[in-house]
Amino acid sequence: MAANRLLTSFAATVSIAAMMSGAPALAADEPFSCPIKGGELIVGLEGGTPTLDQMVATSSATRNVAMNIFETLVIRDENMSPAPDLAKSIDVSDDGLTYTFNLRTGVKFHNGKPLTSADVVASFDRYKEIGINRSTLDIVASWSAPDQETFVITLEKAQPTFLENLSSYTVPIVIIPSEEAAKPANEIDPIGTGPFKFVEFVPDSHVKLEAYEDYKPNDALPGLSGFAGHKEACVDTVTFRMLTEAGARMAALETGEIHIAENVPTVSQQRLADTEGVEIVRLKEFALNMGYPNWSAPPTDNLKVRQAMLAALDMEEIMEAATDGAFELNASLQFPGTAYYSEAGGQYYNQADPEKAAELLKEAGYNNEPIVLLTNQQFPNMYNSALVMAAQLQAAGMNAELRVLDWPTALATSEKETEGWNFFYTYWATVTAQGGPNSLRNLADPANVFKPKDNKGPEDFNAAFQDVQSGATIEERSAAFAKAQEIVFEDVMAIPFGIMQSAQGIRTDVENYEPFYNIRVSNVWLKR
Amino acid sequence: MIGYTVSRLLQTIPILILVSLIAFGIIYLIPGDAATVIGGPSATAEDLARIRANLGLDQPLLAQIGHFYVNLLQGDLGRSLMLGIPVTDAVIARSPITISIALYSLVLTIVLGLSTGIVAALNHNRWIDQAATVFALIGVSLPNFWLALVMIVLFSVHLGWLPTGGYVPFTTDPIGWLRTATLPALSLAMLQAGLLTRITRSTMLEVLRQDYIRTARAKGVPEWVVITRHALANTLMPVVTVLGLILSVLLSGSIVIETIFNVPGIGSLLGNAISNRDYPMIQGGLLFVTAALLLLNLVVDILYTWLDPRIRVGGSA
């Protein structure tokens, strides 16, 4: 069987990365080595880690910890392109149906057991059974382990984005020992192959990890890139404390009780930046502030009313309120500079045109029916966006009103009910970061969060979404994405308000820490 | 007394069943379930269906209720949907933490409330009395979560005396426990201390006007004896009455305070269970809190009879 070896070395890794993202190739370098070893690193998380069973958790608070314990076959690098993790190389057959993963040798789990392809099979079996994003594997016909170091996936039909989907880490397919894989959801012992091993988990308090002495780094990249590359545990232990109250988390950073604080509120940033021993680091493109209209409930079942809503919106005002000023306007469902980025349909973004909105309302035959904005106060970006949007819609002649529920209730209402709400607020973080197919998945059949009648979204959009997944090259897929995005704007399937930034606080004795979509503690050391 | 205690304990059984049924009804009436929380904003309907199947939430409500009671009869409160551990284990592990902080807080409440109330009453209409009244007013007016944050800024950030949060078990390190438990306990105590100050002050003032106090003073009994033996003893009765109430408020206040101070007690367990729609954990937490409050009321009633022998439980004086 003729095959293309895609990921064999650092150079090949960069080539696949460049193929997926258009990013320039990096120069090879010496593998990372910790300049200083030892110490106890303490991280203040903004969310409570509910579980360490990564296969059944979408929560960022789980990934923040678990991604330092577990590894996957392929993961995303700094540019969000697929990169090898536990795979040493990947051979793809010419017909695009067979993916052969050659495992890195010498890798051991934290319980001392060597990693074999049997563990990979068991992990994939478990994910297929209970993994939240198991639909990633729907296209897979079978998988097998011909020998201890080889894992083979056979697809039902060729899917050029398969590696992109497989490396998505919203709910990653982490590799665990086969004996753990037989356990039900949330009942595994958190045993992985990563640079840190599990010590203690006290729910609502903390998770403690320690350096795994027998960790076998992946030298495909000389240093940490995204979650890929050469990882090392420079500190002896890492404790993730769950400090959900922002004021208490900031106080802990100020007093030096923690070294890294996740999500620093804008109002605290200047004060902390002026505090001796504290530094603010930023992730400029953290998440898209988003909302969906309800296509089933009047009056937003009327396209003209939806278009009137979009025409009335001043995104700068909404984003200012949603983020306290930490934002970028962005007429796209992707972050600028990424492979799928497009401004198609951007003419409908940030129109701030109440006259046009009034004209569209007239055409729609709008008769002052209530437009219910479904939001919550748990996420300030969602609540503040709704407040400002309500005022803008009212100024354009719409009878907008807020319906404020707690987050689970609001989310369930938007999911199960087709009446009682007209617009729902959310945000996309890793969903956006992980590329076009991931971003559009929620809008395509059968997911279609905007509640189209009979659960059928626009045919042209669904066709474009299929092309995003099946296009042979990134150029073809990007073009399909642009087309799909234009339909999203034209039909008002979703409204992206803008990009929210994220700020994290670190003590100045923390070295080599780079903010990412989740906390990474590999290759981070503490100054003596 | 033994018969009365056994009878009261037996009465708790139907109350606990009723509470669990009401809890079942309320939590299932609220839209949203653990699947929506686990799935997050970007979960598809298919994802949510899968999560519900994993958690057993796709079963009919009556089947879930039946399953719960069958397990309960065997001493099993089920497994937490989010944490994946037995609810009983979680409640047993967390309750000593909350109880230790609540008792510490109760001691602070009594010390602050009683002493301020007595001093205020003895200095009626003087500046000390007015200062105590202002203290009580501030105590009962301020939300405890706000007070908690102010205390963190003052005692941790500016003075550096105490940590901002965390918890060290008393059995591991008593000094560490004192350092981590003081701010949560004080935050909880301030509100109740204000309440107790007002009750103590008004009761004390009334007692000091009684004939037997006047008689004692006329007989030349030293003032400190009048206060401690005659006035204080009679002031304690209404105070004991509110102690049960105070402790129940301290327990319920722990939901917010434990979250702010990163304390893994019953309060944060229950608070997160409600946010996450972790039904078995809500049931288990509520049953524990209800049982604790019923027991507390029983202890207060028994304490009553001990303090005032004139009171006979269930019989005539």
Side-chain angles (χ1 to χ4, degrees):
Chain A
M1 179 179 67
N4 299 315
R5 174 151 290 195
L6 289 181
L7 304 168
T8 53
S9 64
F10 169 60
T13 304
V14 172
S15 72
I16 186 76
M19 183 184 87
M20 306 304 272
S21 69
L26 302 169
D29 207 347
E30 287 293 309
F32 171 85
S33 177
C34 300
I36 299 173
K37 283 208 164 198
E40 298 181 354
L41 183 72
I42 303 172
V43 180
L45 299 179
E46 71 165 326
T49 303
T51 174
L52 290 176
D53 191 345
Q54 182 60 87
M55 291 187 184
V56 293
T58 57
S59 154
S60 181
T62 291
R63 281 196 302 275
N64 279 332
V65 180
M67 293 303 282
N68 298 291
I69 301 173
F70 299 107
E71 293 181 308
T72 57
L73 283 181
V74 279
I75 194 69
R76 297 299 183 93
D77 68 11
E78 205 78 16
N79 297 316
M80 281 292 164
S81 301
D85 200 11
L86 285 171
K88 180 173 61 186
S89 63
I90 304 171
D91 297 331
V92 184
S93 63
D94 285 343
D95 58 8
L97 290 177
T98 307
Y99 288 69
T100 304
F101 298 83
N102 303 293
L103 304 182
R104 285 197 280 127
T105 51
V107 175
K108 286 182 183 174
F109 285 105
H110 299 152
N111 59 3
K113 180 188 145 182
L115 166 77
T116 69
S117 53
D119 301 304
V120 181
V121 167
S123 301
F124 270 68
D125 286 345
R126 185 175 193 262
Y127 197 91
K128 180 72 179 170
E129 180 65 26
I130 63 170
I132 288 179
N133 282 355
R134 83 193 204 295
S135 58
T136 301
L137 303 175
D138 284 352
I139 198 163
V140 175
S142 66
W143 49 69
S144 60
D147 61 55
Q148 288 210 332
E149 294 174 2
T150 311
F151 176 67
V152 178
I153 292 179
T154 307
L155 303 187
E156 286 175 352
K157 61 178 182 179
Q159 186 185 56
T161 54
F162 181 64
L163 277 184
E164 212 173 323
N165 296 336
L166 200 65
S167 59
S168 165
Y169 67 86
T170 304
V171 187
I173 308 174
V174 294
I175 306 303
I176 58 177
S178 53
E179 60 273 20
E180 291 297 322
K183 295 181 179 175
N186 292 322
E187 293 184 29
I188 60 164
D189 290 325
I191 298 169
T193 56
F196 289 92
K197 70 176 183 181
F198 173 79
V199 176
E200 179 183 46
F201 178 22
V202 180
D204 304 326
S205 175
H206 65 273
V207 186
K208 188 171 185 178
L209 313 180
E210 67 181 10
Y212 178 42
E213 295 302 330
D214 291 335
Y215 177 67
K216 172 89 172 172
N218 176 7
D219 289 325
L221 291 167
L224 187 66
S225 174
F227 282 113
H230 184 106
K231 291 171 267 189
E232 273 191 36
C234 299
V235 292
D236 292 334
T237 64
V238 183
T239 303
F240 294 89
R241 285 181 56 188
M242 298 159 211
L243 302 171
T244 53
E245 212 299 310
R249 192 167 66 250
M250 296 310 111
L253 180 69
E254 278 187 88
T255 59
E257 286 174 48
I258 60 174
H259 296 99
I260 299 170
E262 195 187 11
N263 195 10
V264 178
T266 311
V267 290
S268 305
Q269 287 175 19
Q270 190 55 52
R271 180 174 56 81
L272 285 170
D274 294 340
T275 302
E276 193 181 342
V278 175
E279 186 185 337
I280 300 292
V281 291
R282 294 175 195 283
L283 187 61
K284 288 197 169 171
E285 287 153 3
F286 171 64
L288 276 187
N289 192 20
M290 295 282 299
Y292 314 129
N294 178 353
W295 281 27
S296 285
T300 44
D301 58 342
N302 186 322
L303 173 63
K304 294 286 181 190
V305 172
R306 296 198 302 271
Q307 289 175 336
M309 290 170 70
L310 185 55
L313 299 184
D314 180 333
M315 301 305 186
E316 194 149 3
E317 282 184 1
I318 291 173
M319 289 303 295
E320 179 71 39
T323 66
D324 290 329
F327 70 95
E328 285 172 42
L329 292 183
N330 184 51
S332 179
L333 298 173
Q334 287 286 280
F335 296 138
T338 54
Y340 290 94
Y341 183 77
S342 164
E343 292 187 0
Q347 67 272 25
Y348 300 110
Y349 176 79
N350 197 24
Q351 297 174 75
D353 190 344
E355 288 79 22
K356 181 183 172 185
E359 193 60 38
L360 284 162
L361 288 176
K362 205 170 162 186
E363 288 174 36
Y366 176 68
N367 194 25
N368 207 38
E369 296 95 336
I371 295 175
V372 180
L373 309 180
L374 178 61
T375 190
N376 71 93
Q377 288 187 313
Q378 191 173 334
F379 295 97
N381 69 294
M382 300 182 199
Y383 182 68
N384 294 340
S385 297
L387 276 181
V388 178
M389 185 165 154
Q392 292 177 355
L393 297 184
Q394 285 159 3
M398 282 170 260
N399 181 15
E401 59 184 55
L402 293 191
R403 185 179 174 199
V404 184
L405 301 172
D406 72 321
W407 168 246
T409 309
L411 187 59
T413 303
S414 79
E415 180 218 341
K416 290 179 180 169
E417 309 291 335
T418 52
E419 298 292 329
W421 64 280
N422 294 101
F423 198 87
F424 175 68
Y425 297 82
T426 184
Y427 68 82
W428 288 356
T430 51
V431 169
T432 307
Q434 295 186 96
N438 266 287
S439 298
L440 299 181
R441 186 169 160 257
N442 277 333
L443 300 172
D445 288 350
N448 44 37
V449 288
F450 53 94
K451 301 282 172 230
K453 284 186 175 145
D454 302 323
N455 214 27
K456 293 281 178 202
E459 282 182 14
D460 51 354
F461 173 83
N462 282 305
F465 175 61
Q466 288 307 317
D467 292 343
V468 171
Q469 297 200 91
S470 59
T473 64
I474 186 69
E475 287 76 20
E476 284 176 35
R477 296 199 292 275
S478 296
F481 182 87
K483 188 176 172 189
Q485 180 178 290
E486 188 155 23
I487 297 166
V488 170
F489 275 115
E490 280 174 356
D491 291 357
V492 199
M493 297 164 65
I495 298 179
F497 300 116
I499 297 173
M500 299 193 291
Q501 299 175 351
S502 164
Q504 297 178 6
I506 60 170
R507 300 292 303 183
T508 48
D509 56 349
V510 176
E511 288 284 323
N512 205 35
Y513 176 77
E514 292 291 335
F516 197 53
Y517 298 98
N518 288 103
I519 303 280
R520 300 173 302 181
V521 291
S522 297
N523 302 11
V524 172
W525 68 90
L526 291 170
K527 280 193 262 187
R528 295 254 184 236
Chain B
M1 179 61 76
I2 292 171
Y4 170 75
T5 307
V6 171
S7 155
R8 285 284 301 269
L9 285 173
L10 287 175
Q11 283 170 24
T12 61
I13 294 171
I15 294 173
L16 286 173
I17 292 172
L18 193 64
V19 165
S20 68
L21 276 173
I22 292 170
F24 242 116
I26 290 173
I27 58 184
Y28 280 92
L29 279 175
I30 305 170
D33 59 16
T36 55
V37 178
I38 293 170
S42 53
T44 64
E46 191 192 9
D47 295 338
L48 293 172
R50 168 60 50 172
I51 300 169
R52 286 194 182 103
N54 286 347
L55 299 176
L57 296 174
D58 53 348
Q59 301 288 315
L61 177 60
L62 282 177
Q64 292 184 49
I65 292 176
H67 189 63
F68 173 77
Y69 282 110
V70 168
N71 285 341
L72 186 62
L73 287 174
Q74 298 165 35
D76 178 6
L77 288 169
R79 290 185 88 86
S80 161
L81 301 179
M82 302 299 282
L83 302 175
I85 55 174
V87 170
T88 316
D89 290 0
V91 169
I92 289 171
R94 300 290 193 93
S95 46
I97 298 170
T98 299
I99 290 169
S100 73
I101 291 179
L103 288 177
Y104 183 17
S105 186
L106 185 67
V107 169
L108 290 175
T109 302
I110 292 170
V111 169
L112 281 172
L114 268 186
S115 56
T116 314
I118 291 167
V119 169
L122 294 178
N123 294 278
H124 187 45
N125 283 340
R126 294 188 198 150
W127 71 267
I128 294 179
D129 183 23
Q130 285 161 359
T133 306
V134 169
F135 163 76
L137 190 65
I138 291 173
V140 296
S141 307
L142 292 179
N144 56 11
F145 70 88
W146 184 85
L147 197 62
L149 291 172
V150 169
M151 284 188 182
I152 288 174
V153 171
L154 179 64
F155 292 110
S156 304
V157 177
H158 289 298
L159 298 173
W161 292 351
L162 296 165
T164 58
Y167 181 78
V168 177
F170 184 84
T171 47
T172 308
D173 175 8
I175 301 296
W177 175 83
L178 200 63
R179 280 174 54 75
T180 51
T182 294
L183 285 185
L186 200 56
S187 305
L188 284 167
M190 285 301 284
L191 187 147
Q192 301 308 313
L195 180 72
L196 195 59
T197 297
R198 294 173 80 153
I199 292 170
T200 307
R201 177 183 173 276
S202 60
T203 311
M204 189 83 170
L205 282 174
E206 197 167 320
V207 168
L208 287 173
R209 283 194 284 266
Q210 297 296 314
D211 289 345
Y212 59 85
I213 296 291
R214 198 174 299 120
T215 305
R217 280 174 173 157
K219 283 165 67 181
V221 176
E223 186 63 13
W224 68 272
V225 177
V226 172
I227 300 301
T228 53
R229 287 202 52 193
H230 298 284
L232 188 58
N234 288 293
T235 302
L236 280 181
M237 287 304 293
V239 170
V240 169
T241 310
V242 296
L243 276 187
L245 183 68
I246 285 176
L247 203 51
S248 65
V249 175
L250 293 178
L251 282 174
S252 60
S254 66
I255 290 182
V256 174
I257 292 302
E258 287 180 2
T259 303
I260 291 175
F261 287 103
N262 185 217
V263 174
I266 285 285
S268 57
L269 184 75
L270 197 50
N272 287 326
I274 292 167
S275 298
N276 295 330
R277 305 289 194 269
D278 188 344
Y279 302 146
M281 194 59 91
I282 297 173
Q283 288 280 1
L286 282 179
L287 282 179
F288 167 79
V289 171
T290 308
L293 292 179
L294 289 171
L295 197 65
L296 201 68
N297 279 316
L298 180 60
V299 170
V300 168
D301 286 352
I302 293 169
L303 202 62
Y304 232 65
T305 59
W306 178 71
L307 277 172
D308 188 349
R310 291 172 301 173
I311 299 171
R312 289 288 177 269
V313 177
S316 56

